[in-house]
Amino acid sequence: MSLNHDIRNLLDIQDSNIHFATNCVNQKLYKGKMSKFISAKLTYTPRNCTVCGMANKDFSIIKNGTQESIIIALR
């Protein structure tokens, strides 16, 4: 079993477009408490533009930039 599969199973992540890198688990101080952070990337090829609806033919739609999100899982 791969690390990717184990993290997916632990967090019950169903989306196959989320990929975990090696050494993706880090421990840092967050709001005064030691917390574990798991880094991942969401990668996919869009079918159409979310703004105008234009179809993605021959990779005509290009995704630009990234966004960081913090998802808090309660115990």
Side-chain angles (χ1 to χ4, degrees), residues 8-49:
R8 227 176 255 294
N9 190 24
L10 177 68
L11 300 176
D12 195 25
I13 294 175
Q14 305 297 319
D15 192 342
S16 61
N17 295 318
I18 298 175
H19 300 281
F20 301 93
T22 309
N23 300 326
C24 62
V25 180
N26 297 312
Q27 195 165 0
K28 301 185 228 177
L29 196 61
Y30 180 73
K31 293 188 178 180
K33 294 183 180 180
M34 285 306 288
S35 304
K36 291 185 180 176
F37 287 78
I38 302 172
S39 301
K41 286 195 178 206
L42 173 65
T43 58
Y44 64 97
T45 303
R47 292 185 205 156
N48 57 2
C49 177

Side-chain angles (χ1 to χ4, degrees), residues 44-50 54-57 59 61-63:
Y44 64 97
T45 303
R47 292 185 205 156
N48 57 2
C49 177
T50 57
M54 182 178 134
N56 188 9
K57 294 181 183 175
F59 300 100
I61 297 177
I62 301 170
K63 298 183 304 177

Side-chain angles (χ1 to χ4, degrees), residues 60-75:
S60 60
I61 297 177
I62 301 170
K63 298 183 304 177
N64 291 319
T66 60
Q67 179 179 347
E68 185 173 309
S69 299
I70 296 177
I71 301 170
I72 299 172
L74 302 175
R75 291 185 198 191

